[in-house]
Coordinates of all heavy atoms in Angstrom, one line a residue:
G89 N -60.6 -14.0 -1.2 CA -61.8 -14.6 -0.6 C -61.5 -15.0 0.9 O -62.4 -14.8 1.8
Y90 N -60.3 -15.6 1.1 CA -60.0 -15.9 2.5 C -59.8 -14.7 3.4 O -60.2 -14.7 4.5 CB -58.7 -16.7 2.5 CG -58.8 -18.1 1.9 CD1 -57.7 -18.8 1.3 CD2 -60.0 -18.8 2.1 CE1 -57.9 -20.0 0.8 CE2 -60.2 -20.1 1.5 CZ -59.1 -20.7 0.9 OH -59.2 -22.0 0.4
F91 N -59.2 -13.6 2.8 CA -59.0 -12.4 3.6 C -60.4 -11.8 4.0 O -60.6 -11.3 5.1 CB -58.2 -11.4 2.9 CG -56.7 -11.8 2.8 CD1 -56.0 -11.6 1.7 CD2 -56.1 -12.4 3.9 CE1 -54.6 -11.9 1.6 CE2 -54.7 -12.7 3.8 CZ -54.0 -12.5 2.7
L92 N -61.3 -11.8 3.0 CA -62.7 -11.3 3.3 C -63.4 -12.2 4.3 O -64.1 -11.7 5.2 CB -63.5 -11.2 2.0 CG -63.0 -10.1 1.1 CD1 -63.7 -10.2 -0.3 CD2 -63.3 -8.7 1.7
A93 N -63.2 -13.5 4.2 CA -63.8 -14.4 5.2 C -63.2 -14.2 6.6 O -63.9 -14.2 7.6 CB -63.6 -15.8 4.7
W94 N -61.9 -13.9 6.6 CA -61.2 -13.7 7.9 C -61.8 -12.4 8.5 O -62.1 -12.3 9.7 CB -59.7 -13.5 7.6 CG -59.0 -13.0 8.8 CD1 -58.5 -13.8 9.8 CD2 -58.6 -11.7 9.1 NE1 -57.8 -13.0 10.8 CE2 -57.9 -11.7 10.3 CE3 -58.8 -10.5 8.5 CZ2 -57.3 -10.6 11.0 CZ3 -58.2 -9.3 9.1 CH2 -57.5 -9.4 10.3
F95 N -62.0 -11.4 7.7 CA -62.5 -10.1 8.2 C -63.9 -10.3 8.8 O -64.3 -9.8 9.9 CB -62.6 -9.0 7.1 CG -63.2 -7.7 7.5 CD1 -62.4 -6.8 8.2 CD2 -64.5 -7.4 7.2 CE1 -62.9 -5.6 8.6 CE2 -65.1 -6.2 7.6 CZ -64.3 -5.3 8.3
I96 N -64.8 -11.1 8.1 CA -66.1 -11.4 8.6 C -66.1 -12.1 9.8 O -66.8 -11.9 10.8 CB -66.9 -12.1 7.5 CG1 -67.2 -11.2 6.3 CG2 -68.3 -12.6 8.1 CD1 -67.9 -11.9 5.1
F97 N -65.2 -13.1 9.9 CA -65.1 -13.9 11.1 C -64.7 -13.0 12.3 O -65.2 -13.2 13.4 CB -64.0 -15.1 10.9 CG -63.9 -15.9 12.2 CD1 -64.8 -16.9 12.4 CD2 -62.9 -15.7 13.0 CE1 -64.7 -17.7 13.5 CE2 -62.7 -16.5 14.2 CZ -63.6 -17.5 14.4
I98 N -63.7 -12.2 12.1 CA -63.3 -11.3 13.2 C -64.4 -10.4 13.6 O -64.7 -10.2 14.8 CB -62.1 -10.4 12.8 CG1 -60.8 -11.3 12.5 CG2 -61.7 -9.4 13.8 CD1 -60.4 -12.2 13.7
A99 N -65.2 -9.8 12.6 CA -66.3 -9.0 12.9 C -67.4 -9.7 13.7 O -67.9 -9.2 14.7 CB -66.9 -8.4 11.7
A100 N -67.6 -11.0 13.3 CA -68.6 -11.8 14.0 C -68.1 -12.1 15.4 O -68.9 -12.1 16.4 CB -68.8 -13.1 13.3
S101 N -66.8 -12.3 15.6 CA -66.3 -12.6 17.0 C -66.4 -11.4 17.8 O -66.7 -11.5 19.0 CB -64.8 -13.0 16.8 OG -64.7 -14.2 16.1
V102 N -66.3 -10.2 17.3 CA -66.4 -9.0 18.1 C -67.9 -8.8 18.5 O -68.1 -8.4 19.6 CB -65.9 -7.8 17.2 CG1 -66.3 -6.5 17.9 CG2 -64.4 -7.8 17.0
T103 N -68.8 -9.1 17.6 CA -70.2 -9.0 18.0 C -70.5 -10.0 19.2 O -71.3 -9.7 20.0 CB -71.2 -9.3 16.8 OG1 -71.1 -10.7 16.4 CG2 -70.9 -8.4 15.7
D104 N -69.9 -11.2 19.1 CA -70.1 -12.1 20.2 C -69.6 -11.5 21.6 O -70.3 -11.7 22.6 CB -69.3 -13.4 19.9 CG -69.4 -14.4 21.0 OD1 -70.4 -14.5 21.6 OD2 -68.4 -15.2 21.2
W105 N -68.5 -10.8 21.5 CA -68.0 -10.2 22.8 C -68.8 -9.1 23.2 O -69.2 -8.9 24.4 CB -66.5 -9.8 22.5 CG -65.9 -9.0 23.7 CD1 -65.4 -9.6 24.8 CD2 -65.8 -7.6 23.9 NE1 -65.0 -8.6 25.7 CE2 -65.2 -7.4 25.1 CE3 -66.1 -6.5 23.1 CZ2 -64.8 -6.1 25.6 CZ3 -65.8 -5.3 23.5 CH2 -65.2 -5.1 24.7
L106 N -69.3 -8.3 22.2 CA -70.1 -7.1 22.5 C -71.5 -7.4 23.1 O -71.9 -6.8 24.0 CB -70.2 -6.2 21.3 CG -69.0 -5.3 20.9 CD1 -69.3 -4.6 19.6 CD2 -68.7 -4.3 22.0
D107 N -72.2 -8.4 22.4 CA -73.6 -8.6 22.8 C -73.7 -9.0 24.3 O -74.6 -8.5 25.0 CB -74.3 -9.5 21.8 CG -73.7 -10.9 21.8 OD1 -72.8 -11.2 22.6 OD2 -74.1 -11.7 20.9
G108 N -72.8 -9.9 24.7 CA -72.9 -10.3 26.1 C -72.5 -9.2 27.1 O -73.1 -9.0 28.1
R109 N -71.5 -8.4 26.7 CA -71.0 -7.3 27.5 C -72.1 -6.3 27.7 O -72.4 -5.8 28.8 CB -69.7 -6.7 26.9 CG -69.1 -5.7 27.8 CD -67.8 -5.2 27.1 NE -67.1 -4.2 28.0 CZ -66.2 -4.6 28.9 NH1 -65.9 -5.8 29.1 NH2 -65.6 -3.6 29.6
I110 N -72.8 -5.9 26.6 CA -73.8 -4.9 26.6 C -75.0 -5.4 27.4 O -75.6 -4.7 28.2 CB -74.2 -4.5 25.2 CG1 -73.0 -3.8 24.5 CG2 -75.5 -3.6 25.2 CD1 -73.3 -3.5 23.0
A111 N -75.4 -6.7 27.1 CA -76.5 -7.2 27.8 C -76.4 -7.2 29.3 O -77.3 -6.9 30.1 CB -76.8 -8.7 27.3
R112 N -75.2 -7.6 29.8 CA -75.0 -7.6 31.2 C -74.9 -6.2 31.8 O -75.4 -5.9 32.9 CB -73.7 -8.4 31.6 CG -73.8 -9.9 31.3 CD -72.6 -10.6 31.8 NE -71.4 -10.3 31.0 CZ -71.1 -11.0 29.9 NH1 -71.8 -12.0 29.5 NH2 -70.0 -10.6 29.3
A113 N -74.2 -5.3 31.1 CA -74.0 -4.0 31.6 C -75.3 -3.2 31.7 O -75.5 -2.4 32.6 CB -73.0 -3.2 30.7
Q114 N -76.2 -3.4 30.7 CA -77.4 -2.6 30.6 C -78.7 -3.4 31.0 O -79.8 -3.0 30.8 CB -77.6 -2.1 29.2 CG -76.5 -1.2 28.7 CD -76.7 -0.6 27.4 OE1 -77.8 -0.6 26.8 NE2 -75.7 0.1 26.8
N115 N -78.4 -4.6 31.6 CA -79.5 -5.5 32.1 C -80.5 -5.7 31.0 O -81.7 -5.6 31.1 CB -80.2 -4.8 33.3 CG -81.1 -5.8 34.0 OD1 -80.8 -7.0 34.0 ND2 -82.1 -5.3 34.7
L116 N -80.0 -6.2 29.8 CA -80.8 -6.5 28.7 C -80.8 -8.0 28.3 O -81.0 -8.3 27.2 CB -80.3 -5.7 27.5 CG -80.4 -4.1 27.6 CD1 -79.7 -3.5 26.4 CD2 -81.8 -3.7 27.7
V117 N -80.5 -8.8 29.4 CA -80.5 -10.2 29.2 C -81.9 -10.7 28.9 O -82.9 -10.4 29.7 CB -79.9 -11.0 30.4 CG1 -80.0 -12.5 30.2 CG2 -78.5 -10.5 30.6
T118 N -82.1 -11.5 27.8 CA -83.5 -11.9 27.4 C -83.4 -13.4 27.1 O -82.3 -14.0 27.0 CB -83.9 -11.2 26.1 OG1 -83.1 -11.5 25.0 CG2 -84.0 -9.7 26.3
S119 N -84.6 -14.1 27.1 CA -84.7 -15.5 26.8 C -84.1 -15.7 25.4 O -83.5 -16.7 25.1 CB -86.1 -16.0 26.9 OG -86.5 -15.8 28.2
F120 N -84.5 -14.8 24.4 CA -84.0 -14.9 23.1 C -82.4 -14.9 23.1 O -81.8 -15.8 22.4 CB -84.5 -13.8 22.2 CG -84.0 -13.8 20.8 CD1 -84.6 -14.5 19.8 CD2 -82.8 -13.1 20.5 CE1 -84.2 -14.5 18.5 CE2 -82.3 -13.1 19.2 CZ -83.0 -13.8 18.2
G121 N -81.8 -14.0 23.8 CA -80.4 -14.0 23.8 C -79.7 -15.2 24.5 O -78.7 -15.7 24.0
K122 N -80.3 -15.7 25.5 CA -79.8 -16.9 26.2 C -79.8 -18.1 25.2 O -78.9 -18.9 25.3 CB -80.6 -17.2 27.4 CG -80.5 -16.2 28.6 CD -81.3 -16.6 29.7 CE -81.2 -15.7 30.9 NZ -82.1 -16.0 32.1
L123 N -80.9 -18.2 24.4 CA -81.0 -19.3 23.5 C -80.2 -19.1 22.3 O -79.4 -20.0 21.9 CB -82.5 -19.5 23.1 CG -82.7 -20.5 22.0 CD1 -82.4 -21.9 22.5 CD2 -84.2 -20.4 21.5
M124 N -80.3 -17.9 21.6 CA -79.7 -17.7 20.3 C -78.2 -17.4 20.3 O -77.4 -17.7 19.4 CB -80.4 -16.6 19.5 CG -81.8 -17.0 19.2 SD -82.0 -18.6 18.3 CE -81.0 -18.2 16.8
D125 N -77.7 -16.7 21.4 CA -76.3 -16.4 21.4 C -75.4 -17.6 21.3 O -74.5 -17.6 20.5 CB -76.0 -15.5 22.7 CG -74.6 -15.1 22.7 OD1 -74.1 -14.3 21.8 OD2 -73.8 -15.4 23.7
P126 N -75.5 -18.6 22.2 CA -74.7 -19.8 22.0 C -74.9 -20.5 20.7 O -73.9 -21.1 20.2 CB -75.0 -20.7 23.2 CG -76.4 -20.2 23.7 CD -76.4 -18.7 23.3
I127 N -76.1 -20.5 20.2 CA -76.4 -21.2 18.9 C -75.6 -20.5 17.8 O -75.0 -21.1 16.9 CB -77.9 -21.2 18.6 CG1 -78.6 -22.2 19.6 CG2 -78.1 -21.7 17.2 CD1 -80.1 -22.3 19.4
A128 N -75.7 -19.2 17.8 CA -75.0 -18.4 16.8 C -73.5 -18.6 16.8 O -72.8 -18.8 15.8 CB -75.3 -16.9 17.0
D129 N -72.9 -18.7 18.1 CA -71.5 -19.0 18.2 C -71.1 -20.3 17.6 O -70.2 -20.5 16.9 CB -71.1 -19.0 19.7 CG -71.3 -17.6 20.4 OD1 -71.4 -16.6 19.6 OD2 -71.3 -17.6 21.6
K130 N -71.9 -21.3 17.9 CA -71.6 -22.7 17.4 C -71.8 -22.8 15.9 O -71.0 -23.5 15.3 CB -72.5 -23.7 18.2 CG -72.0 -23.9 19.6 CD -72.9 -24.7 20.4 CE -72.3 -25.0 21.8 NZ -71.8 -23.8 22.5
I131 N -72.8 -22.1 15.4 CA -73.0 -22.2 13.9 C -71.7 -21.5 13.2 O -71.2 -22.0 12.2 CB -74.3 -21.4 13.5 CG1 -75.5 -22.3 13.9 CG2 -74.3 -21.2 12.0 CD1 -76.8 -21.6 13.7
L132 N -71.3 -20.4 13.8 CA -70.1 -19.7 13.2 C -68.9 -20.6 13.3 O -68.2 -20.8 12.3 CB -69.9 -18.4 13.9 CG -68.6 -17.6 13.5 CD1 -68.7 -17.1 12.1 CD2 -68.4 -16.4 14.5
V133 N -68.6 -21.2 14.5 CA -67.4 -22.0 14.6 C -67.5 -23.3 13.8 O -66.5 -23.7 13.2 CB -67.2 -22.3 16.1 CG1 -66.1 -23.4 16.3 CG2 -66.8 -21.0 16.9

Side-chain angles (χ1 to χ4, degrees):
Y90 289 149
F91 288 141
L92 288 170
W94 173 83
F95 178 80
I96 291 173
F97 181 81
I98 296 301
S101 299
V102 170
T103 68
D104 179 30
W105 178 77
L106 281 176
D107 61 11
R109 189 178 180 87
I110 293 171
R112 289 187 294 271
Q114 300 184 12
N115 195 26
L116 296 174
V117 178
T118 64
S119 297
F120 177 88
K122 290 179 181 179
L123 173 67
M124 294 305 298
D125 183 60
I127 290 176
D129 295 343
K130 286 172 174 52
I131 290 174
L132 176 65
V133 170

